[in-house]
Amino acid sequence: MAEISKKTGFLCRLEYAYKDGNGKKQSIVGESEIPAMGLQIFRAPTDNDSHSPSGIGEKGWISLGLNRMEHTLKTCAVADRLPDRCTVKIHHTYRCLQKADTGFHHYVITRVWADGHISFEQFVQPFGEMGIIPRVGVRIPVNPNLSKVDYFGLGPKENYPDRCTGAYLGRFRSTVDEQAEPYIRPQENGSRGRVTYAALTDLEGTGLLVTGDRPFAFSALPYSAEQLSRVRHDSELEREETVMQFTI
């Protein structure tokens, strides 16, 4: 079952029945303030950002407060109901609190198919004056019971577009806790690039499988970007629901 909120336009419920037909259901979306499939432009600053003009400068992305943008749902309407699918078209806007004329339009076409899978088409349009955009993606808070990670992409350790020479392409399996890199000062971490599929499952193998029409980057961490940017020491981190993030 998939449910989209008419008030926010975000995915608010997603659950599947177990294959054995015993009536049990696995809830995928966790109970969190993080909007499921909401636009994610912000990332936790790294050590390098702390002295980079594009990070902390007058027009830097940290100064814009991309983690505190004002969200408005413009439209959320069912476009069609067919035997094999239901289509919902959604338009969000996000405005920077420091510069109300700067922000993003986020257009989403969501299709819920009769066989149980859901497809999302995303279009992001920035407006106003801004410099470097640190990330363009979406994220979803996931039930912490889904603790096992399986993906095909670059690994086994974290890698980024400017730091992936030491990674190789393959299938990797681990846990959510093992995906995080324990930096002394918490910051952006744990991304895996050139991913063709990523799965989070419980101990019985039931969970969420994500694929794309082209390779993408993803992370699955027990901490949100907000918490990683807020605390100063790794000992201050408190485990949250798993935050699964996808960079378009």
Side-chain angles (χ1 to χ4, degrees), residues 94-148:
Y94 298 81
R95 293 183 181 274
C96 297
L97 295 180
Q98 286 79 358
K99 295 178 65 177
D101 60 347
T102 300
F104 302 86
H105 293 288
H106 184 205
Y107 302 91
V108 185
I109 300 176
T110 303
R111 294 184 176 92
V112 181
W113 297 81
D115 65 1
H117 82 273
I118 305 173
S119 62
F120 298 91
E121 291 184 41
Q122 315 268 347
F123 178 73
V124 179
Q125 181 182 29
F127 59 86
E129 183 182 0
M130 64 181 71
I132 289 177
I133 299 174
R135 162 175 285 135
V136 179
V138 295
R139 61 179 176 171
I140 179 171
V142 178
N143 188 323
N145 289 337
L146 308 183
S147 60
K148 299 178 72 66

Side-chain angles (χ1 to χ4, degrees), residues 34-53:
I34 296 174
M37 296 306 295
L39 182 65
Q40 177 68 354
I41 300 296
F42 178 79
R43 63 167 171 76
T46 64
D47 290 331
N48 289 337
D49 291 320
S50 63
H51 54 76
S52 168

